[in-house]
Amino acid sequence: RPGAAGLNDGFHDDYQVLVREADPKDTALVPIRATPPFKPAAPGRVTLIGDAIHTMPPFGAHGANTAFMDAQTLAKRLSGGTRLSSLAEAIGSYESNMRRYSRPVIKSALRMMTMATADFPFKQAIFRTVLRAAGVFSR
């Protein structure tokens, strides 16, 4: 636990209390990462989907949804859902689409992580207002 206590400097006070009072046997360090933007490579016979190609923080429940979108997009390209003539073209088309829709999702997850872990004045009031507004729209 001495290691964990030193890693949460700057985090919200409530989080620091959770770490400090946790049983060391029940804690584990789980790094949170996000894929940096990458330059496209020439498509080949192998491609990646989900966290294998665009890792993101687990905020906003974007990861699984994006992985499902990857699988659906790739399946459409490979099954002839487009008029592409080769495997490399189908994979290249999938990768191009995947980069386009995943970048804003990764940015959103990073923003949500920042909002959830940063401590700033009026944070609770902002979240309360957002939740009330969401309740109005769900009626």
Side-chain angles (χ1 to χ4, degrees):
R1 191 162 58 189
L7 294 173
N8 68 1
D9 291 341
F11 279 78
H12 190 277
D13 292 343
D14 294 344
Y15 178 78
Q16 292 189 34
V17 169
L18 282 172
V19 171
R20 189 171 47 253
E21 294 180 4
D23 184 342
K25 295 180 292 189
D26 296 331
T27 61
L29 175 63
V30 179
I32 296 177
R33 303 193 191 312
T35 302
F38 55 92
K39 292 184 179 184
R45 295 172 36 116
V46 175
T47 191
L48 302 171
I49 67 171
D51 283 350
I53 189 66
H54 44 69
T55 305
M56 63 189 82
F59 292 83
H62 297 303
N65 291 325
T66 307
F68 284 132
M69 184 178 279
D70 292 349
Q72 181 182 29
T73 303
L74 181 58
K76 281 182 184 176
R77 298 302 185 271
L78 294 175
S79 68
T82 62
R83 298 177 192 254
L84 301 172
S85 61
S86 73
L87 178 63
E89 272 186 285
I91 289 175
S93 175
Y94 153 71
E95 290 175 350
S96 175
N97 280 311
M98 178 270 304
R99 277 189 299 279
R100 188 171 45 255
Y101 62 72
S102 67
R103 283 184 184 143
V105 173
I106 293 168
K107 286 180 182 180
S108 174
L110 287 167
R111 273 193 310 274
M112 289 179 167
M113 179 180 73
T114 300
M115 291 293 290
T117 58
D119 191 18
F120 57 89
F122 311 114
K123 180 178 174 181
Q124 288 180 335
I126 292 169
F127 281 118
R128 244 190 326 264
T129 303
V130 169
L131 291 174
R132 282 188 195 128
V136 168
F137 290 116
S138 68
R139 292 182 192 147

